[in-house]
Amino acid sequence: MLLFKKINDLQNHLDRQRADGKTIGFAPTMGALHAGHISLVDKCNAENDLSVVSIFVNPTQFNEASDLDKYPRTEESDILKLTQAKCAVLFMPDINEVYPKSTENTETFDFGGLVKVMEGAQRPGHFEGVVQVVKRLLEIVRPTRLYMGQKDYQQFAIIQEMLRQMQSKIQIVRCPIVREPDGLAMSSRNVRLPADHRKRAVLLSQILEKAEKQAKQKTPAEIETEALKRMENEPDFRPEYFKIVDARTLQPVADFTGENGVAACVACWVGEVRLIDNKVFD
Ligand code: PAF
């Protein structure tokens, strides 16, 4: 695996690859890699000639400075995992490389309701920061395909919309959530769960499974109320939202008949750790 820290060096290498007609799959990350990230690399490798992964902990998407400080930095083990996964290129820029002038965001996209609900409502400014950094990284890497995990369902939907508004030729690929054997969605935050919380955190994926089954008999509102109550009754759980939404617009739905399909999305504190998960209904 080649490791680049400077944009010029990365671009010289990638320009040569493109000149040879090679396709480039790109997976942006903030490090602290787990099997979910590695599944993106596997897909990049399967569908492209070359895989590029970036590791950059983007300060502009953290709405609380303490979250940025707490974010796990596991450079050495990340490099090992990517090497084992046969990642071709790792890009690890520092902040001056990504934001040479300032971190001020001058982008103006209109995402309408997409950014106003769920994570957007709970974490003001978060998606503006995500859009800012992903756009910048795409300008640097210029991939054929962009690989993003379904775990951050709203993030995926917003970046997809950004590419649409930019009339970009980059194809975005949604990669399925990778789960622990008991069903808990993999996340860099899971390691912060104490054993008892870790065991019971599986409740989130169980509630999503149940919600999908209930869709035949109940309304979205009824399912949401029941799911919220179930989490509220569990000691140490503090749900922020459980929403059944249009899978494309992310707006609430009154029934299950819409042509875009629906997704159930949940955010819940389990002790000190905020977890998210989702399920697109079949
Ligand atoms: O999903 C993440 O890890 C980040 O939001 C991303 C897409 C790498 C942007 O910093």
Side-chain angles (χ1 to χ4, degrees):
M1 182 174 72
L2 296 172
L3 165 58
F4 296 103
K5 297 203 164 186
K6 298 284 174 205
I7 294 175
N8 266 348
D9 298 335
L10 172 79
Q11 288 189 329
N12 285 339
H13 176 70
L14 294 181
D15 284 348
R16 281 196 297 274
Q17 304 300 313
R18 263 188 295 266
D20 286 347
K22 295 201 172 142
T23 55
I24 299 171
F26 174 48
T29 81
M30 298 208 297
L33 303 181
H34 52 68
H37 297 106
I38 299 306
S39 77
L40 306 185
V41 182
D42 290 342
K43 226 165 152 44
C44 271
N45 279 334
E47 297 175 0
N48 302 275
D49 297 311
L50 194 77
S51 51
V52 179
V53 169
S54 64
I55 295 182
F56 176 64
V57 183
N58 173 36
T60 70
Q61 69 188 76
F62 289 84
N63 37 354
E64 292 200 16
S66 63
D67 270 357
L68 175 60
D69 294 340
K70 269 192 285 180
Y71 201 83
R73 272 111 170 140
T74 55
E75 210 171 279
E76 258 177 49
S77 79
D78 288 349
I79 291 177
L80 189 68
K81 285 177 189 163
L82 289 172
T83 309
Q84 283 166 350
K86 300 199 166 32
C87 171
V89 171
L90 170 60
F91 180 46
M92 272 199 346
D94 73 16
I95 185 152
N96 300 317
E97 215 48 25
V98 178
Y99 301 120
K101 293 200 183 101
S102 85
T103 54
E104 199 196 324
N105 193 356
T106 51
E107 285 307 336
T108 48
F109 289 99
D110 181 6
F111 292 112
L114 271 186
V115 287
K116 298 203 173 86
V117 294
M118 300 191 290
E119 294 301 291
Q122 300 290 339
R123 303 171 70 188
H126 167 67
F127 285 123
E128 285 76 2
V130 171
V131 166
Q132 178 189 20
V133 76
V134 173
K135 181 165 183 286
R136 175 83 180 117
L137 290 168
L138 290 177
E139 281 162 1
I140 296 169
V141 177
R142 285 184 276 130
T144 320
R145 298 185 185 87
L146 168 67
Y147 290 80
M148 299 195 78
Q150 182 186 318
K151 167 87 185 333
D152 294 295
Y153 190 77
Q154 191 170 6
Q155 168 171 281
F156 175 87
I158 289 167
I159 297 299
Q160 186 174 41
E161 176 59 17
M162 177 192 85
L163 292 172
R164 197 191 63 77
Q165 289 185 23
M166 288 165 61
Q167 297 182 313
S168 169
K169 288 205 172 68
I170 299 169
Q171 193 187 324
I172 184 165
V173 182
R174 192 176 84 195
C175 303
I177 299 176
V178 179
R179 296 184 178 280
E180 301 285 357
D182 66 351
L184 177 67
M186 286 204 181
S187 162
S188 316
R189 295 170 181 222
N190 293 353
V191 291
R192 287 171 39 209
L193 292 165
D196 167 49
H197 289 175
R198 163 63 193 85
K199 208 164 151 202
R200 290 187 291 121
V202 66
L203 180 65
L204 268 57
S205 63
Q206 289 170 345
I207 288 176
L208 290 167
E209 289 285 339
K210 186 167 178 197
E212 185 175 23
K213 291 201 183 97
Q214 289 177 320
K216 287 199 185 80
Q217 301 96 29
K218 298 192 177 185
T219 65
E222 286 167 343
I223 298 171
E224 286 175 1
T225 308
E226 194 178 307
L228 284 169
K229 208 180 279 167
R230 177 67 189 89
M231 287 184 281
E232 277 156 11
N233 288 340
E234 184 71 24
D236 312 316
F237 279 48
R238 276 177 297 127
E240 273 186 0
Y241 61 78
F242 184 98
K243 298 271 184 216
I244 296 181
V245 296
D246 179 291
R248 197 174 58 80
T249 66
L250 306 187
Q251 300 310 298
V253 290
D255 57 41
F256 293 100
T257 57
E259 61 181 23
N260 295 330
V262 300
C265 303
V266 60
C268 182
W269 288 88
V270 178
E272 300 298 309
V273 183
R274 185 176 184 274
L275 298 178
I276 58 169
D277 198 352
N278 67 78
K279 186 153 196 350
V280 180
F281 289 2
D282 284 335

